[in-house]
Amino acid sequence: MRELDSEFDKLGVEVRFVVIGDAKKVAAFCSPYGMADRCIPDPNKATFKSMGFGDYNLLKLFSDKALLARRRENKKAGFSQNWGATRIQDGAQLPGAALIDREGRIVWKYAGVHPGDLPNMRDMLEQARTIL
């Protein structure tokens, strides 16, 4: 993400991350990555709900081939799910991404189909270039 900051800045795009949890939990989660100032607490998942992002079937956590592939990819990159800090119902929240214009309108949205399904930041940058 940080390697693309200047590209997003050139477009006037501010990148933010909505994270399930209160401000304290979100700060603890985002600070180690240097992203605390970009993380927005959403303890009741109101943002996720308003954007139409659904829940994942937890019975598929260990059988969804796309999710398992994404876990391997993340593990190889040094990332893993911290289940000690994750409430199981929060782990079921499907992720998503959106570009919102200055008037607050959603101009592009991506809804994930499994908990690790987010577009990469380069794809989001291209979407921003196309739309904005």
mmCIF file with all atom_site columns, all heavy atoms in Angstrom, residues 69-83:
data_model
loop_
_atom_site.group_PDB
_atom_site.id
_atom_site.type_symbol
_atom_site.label_atom_id
_atom_site.label_alt_id
_atom_site.label_comp_id
_atom_site.label_asym_id
_atom_site.label_entity_id
_atom_site.label_seq_id
_atom_site.pdbx_PDB_ins_code
_atom_site.Cartn_x
_atom_site.Cartn_y
_atom_site.Cartn_z
_atom_site.occupancy
_atom_site.B_iso_or_equiv
_atom_site.pdbx_formal_charge
_atom_site.auth_seq_id
_atom_site.auth_comp_id
_atom_site.auth_asym_id
_atom_site.auth_atom_id
_atom_site.pdbx_PDB_model_num
ATOM 1   N N   . ALA A 1 69 ? -6.196  -20.525 -0.680 1.00 0.00 ? 69 ALA A N   1
ATOM 2   C CA  . ALA A 1 69 ? -5.111  -20.015 -1.536 1.00 0.00 ? 69 ALA A CA  1
ATOM 3   C C   . ALA A 1 69 ? -4.681  -18.634 -1.069 1.00 0.00 ? 69 ALA A C   1
ATOM 4   O O   . ALA A 1 69 ? -3.485  -18.332 -1.010 1.00 0.00 ? 69 ALA A O   1
ATOM 5   C CB  . ALA A 1 69 ? -5.560  -19.970 -2.991 1.00 0.00 ? 69 ALA A CB  1
ATOM 6   N N   . ARG A 1 70 ? -5.639  -17.788 -0.713 1.00 0.00 ? 70 ARG A N   1
ATOM 7   C CA  . ARG A 1 70 ? -5.314  -16.442 -0.235 1.00 0.00 ? 70 ARG A CA  1
ATOM 8   C C   . ARG A 1 70 ? -4.562  -16.503 1.087  1.00 0.00 ? 70 ARG A C   1
ATOM 9   O O   . ARG A 1 70 ? -3.632  -15.749 1.322  1.00 0.00 ? 70 ARG A O   1
ATOM 10  C CB  . ARG A 1 70 ? -6.603  -15.625 -0.085 1.00 0.00 ? 70 ARG A CB  1
ATOM 11  C CG  . ARG A 1 70 ? -6.382  -14.198 0.327  1.00 0.00 ? 70 ARG A CG  1
ATOM 12  C CD  . ARG A 1 70 ? -5.568  -13.454 -0.738 1.00 0.00 ? 70 ARG A CD  1
ATOM 13  N NE  . ARG A 1 70 ? -5.248  -12.122 -0.318 1.00 0.00 ? 70 ARG A NE  1
ATOM 14  C CZ  . ARG A 1 70 ? -5.746  -11.030 -0.862 1.00 0.00 ? 70 ARG A CZ  1
ATOM 15  N NH1 . ARG A 1 70 ? -6.567  -11.119 -1.879 1.00 0.00 ? 70 ARG A NH1 1
ATOM 16  N NH2 . ARG A 1 70 ? -5.405  -9.861  -0.408 1.00 0.00 ? 70 ARG A NH2 1
ATOM 17  N N   . ARG A 1 71 ? -4.947  -17.435 1.968  1.00 0.00 ? 71 ARG A N   1
ATOM 18  C CA  . ARG A 1 71 ? -4.225  -17.603 3.242  1.00 0.00 ? 71 ARG A CA  1
ATOM 19  C C   . ARG A 1 71 ? -2.769  -17.990 2.998  1.00 0.00 ? 71 ARG A C   1
ATOM 20  O O   . ARG A 1 71 ? -1.867  -17.476 3.645  1.00 0.00 ? 71 ARG A O   1
ATOM 21  C CB  . ARG A 1 71 ? -4.902  -18.684 4.086  1.00 0.00 ? 71 ARG A CB  1
ATOM 22  C CG  . ARG A 1 71 ? -6.062  -18.196 4.865  1.00 0.00 ? 71 ARG A CG  1
ATOM 23  C CD  . ARG A 1 71 ? -6.438  -19.235 5.913  1.00 0.00 ? 71 ARG A CD  1
ATOM 24  N NE  . ARG A 1 71 ? -7.707  -18.890 6.492  1.00 0.00 ? 71 ARG A NE  1
ATOM 25  C CZ  . ARG A 1 71 ? -8.680  -19.735 6.730  1.00 0.00 ? 71 ARG A CZ  1
ATOM 26  N NH1 . ARG A 1 71 ? -8.548  -21.008 6.445  1.00 0.00 ? 71 ARG A NH1 1
ATOM 27  N NH2 . ARG A 1 71 ? -9.801  -19.326 7.265  1.00 0.00 ? 71 ARG A NH2 1
ATOM 28  N N   . ARG A 1 72 ? -2.562  -18.916 2.062  1.00 0.00 ? 72 ARG A N   1
ATOM 29  C CA  . ARG A 1 72 ? -1.182  -19.329 1.747  1.00 0.00 ? 72 ARG A CA  1
ATOM 30  C C   . ARG A 1 72 ? -0.381  -18.137 1.217  1.00 0.00 ? 72 ARG A C   1
ATOM 31  O O   . ARG A 1 72 ? 0.763   -17.925 1.604  1.00 0.00 ? 72 ARG A O   1
ATOM 32  C CB  . ARG A 1 72 ? -1.183  -20.474 0.735  1.00 0.00 ? 72 ARG A CB  1
ATOM 33  C CG  . ARG A 1 72 ? -1.544  -21.826 1.326  1.00 0.00 ? 72 ARG A CG  1
ATOM 34  C CD  . ARG A 1 72 ? -1.291  -22.970 0.358  1.00 0.00 ? 72 ARG A CD  1
ATOM 35  N NE  . ARG A 1 72 ? -2.085  -22.868 -0.860 1.00 0.00 ? 72 ARG A NE  1
ATOM 36  C CZ  . ARG A 1 72 ? -3.326  -23.323 -0.990 1.00 0.00 ? 72 ARG A CZ  1
ATOM 37  N NH1 . ARG A 1 72 ? -3.929  -23.914 0.017  1.00 0.00 ? 72 ARG A NH1 1
ATOM 38  N NH2 . ARG A 1 72 ? -3.970  -23.202 -2.135 1.00 0.00 ? 72 ARG A NH2 1
ATOM 39  N N   . GLU A 1 73 ? -1.005  -17.381 0.340  1.00 0.00 ? 73 GLU A N   1
ATOM 40  C CA  . GLU A 1 73 ? -0.362  -16.193 -0.233 1.00 0.00 ? 73 GLU A CA  1
ATOM 41  C C   . GLU A 1 73 ? -0.002  -15.189 0.875  1.00 0.00 ? 73 GLU A C   1
ATOM 42  O O   . GLU A 1 73 ? 1.112   -14.662 0.907  1.00 0.00 ? 73 GLU A O   1
ATOM 43  C CB  . GLU A 1 73 ? -1.335  -15.568 -1.230 1.00 0.00 ? 73 GLU A CB  1
ATOM 44  C CG  . GLU A 1 73 ? -0.882  -14.320 -1.905 1.00 0.00 ? 73 GLU A CG  1
ATOM 45  C CD  . GLU A 1 73 ? -1.988  -13.773 -2.801 1.00 0.00 ? 73 GLU A CD  1
ATOM 46  O OE1 . GLU A 1 73 ? -2.570  -14.533 -3.595 1.00 0.00 ? 73 GLU A OE1 1
ATOM 47  O OE2 . GLU A 1 73 ? -2.271  -12.565 -2.695 1.00 0.00 ? 73 GLU A OE2 1
ATOM 48  N N   . ASN A 1 74 ? -0.924  -14.945 1.776  1.00 0.00 ? 74 ASN A N   1
ATOM 49  C CA  . ASN A 1 74 ? -0.674  -14.009 2.874  1.00 0.00 ? 74 ASN A CA  1
ATOM 50  C C   . ASN A 1 74 ? 0.394   -14.524 3.830  1.00 0.00 ? 74 ASN A C   1
ATOM 51  O O   . ASN A 1 74 ? 1.235   -13.752 4.289  1.00 0.00 ? 74 ASN A O   1
ATOM 52  C CB  . ASN A 1 74 ? -1.969  -13.721 3.639  1.00 0.00 ? 74 ASN A CB  1
ATOM 53  C CG  . ASN A 1 74 ? -2.898  -12.827 2.865  1.00 0.00 ? 74 ASN A CG  1
ATOM 54  O OD1 . ASN A 1 74 ? -2.490  -12.144 1.935  1.00 0.00 ? 74 ASN A OD1 1
ATOM 55  N ND2 . ASN A 1 74 ? -4.163  -12.847 3.230  1.00 0.00 ? 74 ASN A ND2 1
ATOM 56  N N   . LYS A 1 75 ? 0.347   -15.820 4.124  1.00 0.00 ? 75 LYS A N   1
ATOM 57  C CA  . LYS A 1 75 ? 1.337   -16.403 5.028  1.00 0.00 ? 75 LYS A CA  1
ATOM 58  C C   . LYS A 1 75 ? 2.738   -16.263 4.438  1.00 0.00 ? 75 LYS A C   1
ATOM 59  O O   . LYS A 1 75 ? 3.693   -15.927 5.136  1.00 0.00 ? 75 LYS A O   1
ATOM 60  C CB  . LYS A 1 75 ? 1.012   -17.873 5.307  1.00 0.00 ? 75 LYS A CB  1
ATOM 61  C CG  . LYS A 1 75 ? 1.886   -18.485 6.374  1.00 0.00 ? 75 LYS A CG  1
ATOM 62  C CD  . LYS A 1 75 ? 1.412   -19.864 6.747  1.00 0.00 ? 75 LYS A CD  1
ATOM 63  C CE  . LYS A 1 75 ? 2.249   -20.384 7.894  1.00 0.00 ? 75 LYS A CE  1
ATOM 64  N NZ  . LYS A 1 75 ? 1.745   -21.655 8.391  1.00 0.00 ? 75 LYS A NZ  1
ATOM 65  N N   . LYS A 1 76 ? 2.842   -16.499 3.138  1.00 0.00 ? 76 LYS A N   1
ATOM 66  C CA  . LYS A 1 76 ? 4.126   -16.361 2.448  1.00 0.00 ? 76 LYS A CA  1
ATOM 67  C C   . LYS A 1 76 ? 4.650   -14.924 2.541  1.00 0.00 ? 76 LYS A C   1
ATOM 68  O O   . LYS A 1 76 ? 5.840   -14.684 2.627  1.00 0.00 ? 76 LYS A O   1
ATOM 69  C CB  . LYS A 1 76 ? 3.949   -16.758 0.981  1.00 0.00 ? 76 LYS A CB  1
ATOM 70  C CG  . LYS A 1 76 ? 5.205   -17.053 0.243  1.00 0.00 ? 76 LYS A CG  1
ATOM 71  C CD  . LYS A 1 76 ? 4.849   -17.544 -1.152 1.00 0.00 ? 76 LYS A CD  1
ATOM 72  C CE  . LYS A 1 76 ? 6.016   -18.220 -1.795 1.00 0.00 ? 76 LYS A CE  1
ATOM 73  N NZ  . LYS A 1 76 ? 5.682   -18.717 -3.131 1.00 0.00 ? 76 LYS A NZ  1
ATOM 74  N N   . ALA A 1 77 ? 3.710   -13.961 2.559  1.00 0.00 ? 77 ALA A N   1
ATOM 75  C CA  . ALA A 1 77 ? 4.078   -12.546 2.654  1.00 0.00 ? 77 ALA A CA  1
ATOM 76  C C   . ALA A 1 77 ? 4.272   -12.111 4.110  1.00 0.00 ? 77 ALA A C   1
ATOM 77  O O   . ALA A 1 77 ? 4.593   -10.950 4.369  1.00 0.00 ? 77 ALA A O   1
ATOM 78  C CB  . ALA A 1 77 ? 3.011   -11.684 1.992  1.00 0.00 ? 77 ALA A CB  1
ATOM 79  N N   . GLY A 1 78 ? 4.074   -13.033 5.066  1.00 0.00 ? 78 GLY A N   1
ATOM 80  C CA  . GLY A 1 78 ? 4.296   -12.717 6.470  1.00 0.00 ? 78 GLY A CA  1
ATOM 81  C C   . GLY A 1 78 ? 3.069   -12.286 7.250  1.00 0.00 ? 78 GLY A C   1
ATOM 82  O O   . GLY A 1 78 ? 3.190   -11.758 8.350  1.00 0.00 ? 78 GLY A O   1
ATOM 83  N N   . PHE A 1 79 ? 1.882   -12.516 6.702  1.00 0.00 ? 79 PHE A N   1
ATOM 84  C CA  . PHE A 1 79 ? 0.645   -12.122 7.379  1.00 0.00 ? 79 PHE A CA  1
ATOM 85  C C   . PHE A 1 79 ? -0.180  -13.357 7.715  1.00 0.00 ? 79 PHE A C   1
ATOM 86  O O   . PHE A 1 79 ? -0.169  -14.329 6.976  1.00 0.00 ? 79 PHE A O   1
ATOM 87  C CB  . PHE A 1 79 ? -0.200  -11.198 6.489  1.00 0.00 ? 79 PHE A CB  1
ATOM 88  C CG  . PHE A 1 79 ? 0.530   -9.961  6.064  1.00 0.00 ? 79 PHE A CG  1
ATOM 89  C CD1 . PHE A 1 79 ? 1.027   -9.855  4.777  1.00 0.00 ? 79 PHE A CD1 1
ATOM 90  C CD2 . PHE A 1 79 ? 0.716   -8.920  6.950  1.00 0.00 ? 79 PHE A CD2 1
ATOM 91  C CE1 . PHE A 1 79 ? 1.702   -8.715  4.381  1.00 0.00 ? 79 PHE A CE1 1
ATOM 92  C CE2 . PHE A 1 79 ? 1.383   -7.771  6.559  1.00 0.00 ? 79 PHE A CE2 1
ATOM 93  C CZ  . PHE A 1 79 ? 1.878   -7.665  5.268  1.00 0.00 ? 79 PHE A CZ  1
ATOM 94  N N   . SER A 1 80 ? -0.909  -13.278 8.825  1.00 0.00 ? 80 SER A N   1
ATOM 95  C CA  . SER A 1 80 ? -1.819  -14.364 9.179  1.00 0.00 ? 80 SER A CA  1
ATOM 96  C C   . SER A 1 80 ? -2.945  -13.806 10.034 1.00 0.00 ? 80 SER A C   1
ATOM 97  O O   . SER A 1 80 ? -2.821  -12.726 10.616 1.00 0.00 ? 80 SER A O   1
ATOM 98  C CB  . SER A 1 80 ? -1.092  -15.483 9.928  1.00 0.00 ? 80 SER A CB  1
ATOM 99  O OG  . SER A 1 80 ? -0.603  -15.003 11.162 1.00 0.00 ? 80 SER A OG  1
ATOM 100 N N   . GLN A 1 81 ? -4.029  -14.546 10.110 1.00 0.00 ? 81 GLN A N   1
ATOM 101 C CA  . GLN A 1 81 ? -5.179  -14.148 10.920 1.00 0.00 ? 81 GLN A CA  1
ATOM 102 C C   . GLN A 1 81 ? -4.835  -14.328 12.387 1.00 0.00 ? 81 GLN A C   1
ATOM 103 O O   . GLN A 1 81 ? -4.324  -15.376 12.780 1.00 0.00 ? 81 GLN A O   1
ATOM 104 C CB  . GLN A 1 81 ? -6.391  -15.012 10.561 1.00 0.00 ? 81 GLN A CB  1
ATOM 105 C CG  . GLN A 1 81 ? -7.624  -14.744 11.402 1.00 0.00 ? 81 GLN A CG  1
ATOM 106 C CD  . GLN A 1 81 ? -8.226  -13.389 11.124 1.00 0.00 ? 81 GLN A CD  1
ATOM 107 O OE1 . GLN A 1 81 ? -8.328  -12.985 9.986  1.00 0.00 ? 81 GLN A OE1 1
ATOM 108 N NE2 . GLN A 1 81 ? -8.603  -12.680 12.163 1.00 0.00 ? 81 GLN A NE2 1
ATOM 109 N N   . ASN A 1 82 ? -5.100  -13.324 13.198 1.00 0.00 ? 82 ASN A N   1
ATOM 110 C CA  . ASN A 1 82 ? -4.893  -13.416 14.640 1.00 0.00 ? 82 ASN A CA  1
ATOM 111 C C   . ASN A 1 82 ? -6.226  -13.805 15.268 1.00 0.00 ? 82 ASN A C   1
ATOM 112 O O   . ASN A 1 82 ? -7.021  -12.950 15.650 1.00 0.00 ? 82 ASN A O   1
ATOM 113 C CB  . ASN A 1 82 ? -4.398  -12.076 15.193 1.00 0.00 ? 82 ASN A CB  1
ATOM 114 C CG  . ASN A 1 82 ? -4.174  -12.115 16.685 1.00 0.00 ? 82 ASN A CG  1
ATOM 115 O OD1 . ASN A 1 82 ? -4.530  -13.082 17.357 1.00 0.00 ? 82 ASN A OD1 1
ATOM 116 N ND2 . ASN A 1 82 ? -3.594  -11.067 17.217 1.00 0.00 ? 82 ASN A ND2 1
ATOM 117 N N   . TRP A 1 83 ? -6.468  -15.105 15.389 1.00 0.00 ? 83 TRP A N   1
ATOM 118 C CA  . TRP A 1 83 ? -7.755  -15.570 15.901 1.00 0.00 ? 83 TRP A CA  1
ATOM 119 C C   . TRP A 1 83 ? -7.924  -15.251 17.376 1.00 0.00 ? 83 TRP A C   1
ATOM 120 O O   . TRP A 1 83 ? -9.040  -15.175 17.876 1.00 0.00 ? 83 TRP A O   1
ATOM 121 C CB  . TRP A 1 83 ? -7.937  -17.059 15.634 1.00 0.00 ? 83 TRP A CB  1
ATOM 122 C CG  . TRP A 1 83 ? -8.210  -17.306 14.190 1.00 0.00 ? 83 TRP A CG  1
ATOM 123 C CD1 . TRP A 1 83 ? -7.349  -17.831 13.269 1.00 0.00 ? 83 TRP A CD1 1
ATOM 124 C CD2 . TRP A 1 83 ? -9.404  -16.995 13.467 1.00 0.00 ? 83 TRP A CD2 1
ATOM 125 N NE1 . TRP A 1 83 ? -7.939  -17.862 12.025 1.00 0.00 ? 83 TRP A NE1 1
ATOM 126 C CE2 . TRP A 1 83 ? -9.202  -17.353 12.126 1.00 0.00 ? 83 TRP A CE2 1
ATOM 127 C CE3 . TRP A 1 83 ? -10.629 -16.431 13.826 1.00 0.00 ? 83 TRP A CE3 1
ATOM 128 C CZ2 . TRP A 1 83 ? -10.169 -17.181 11.137 1.00 0.00 ? 83 TRP A CZ2 1
ATOM 129 C CZ3 . TRP A 1 83 ? -11.594 -16.261 12.843 1.00 0.00 ? 83 TRP A CZ3 1
ATOM 130 C CH2 . TRP A 1 83 ? -11.367 -16.633 11.517 1.00 0.00 ? 83 TRP A CH2 1
#
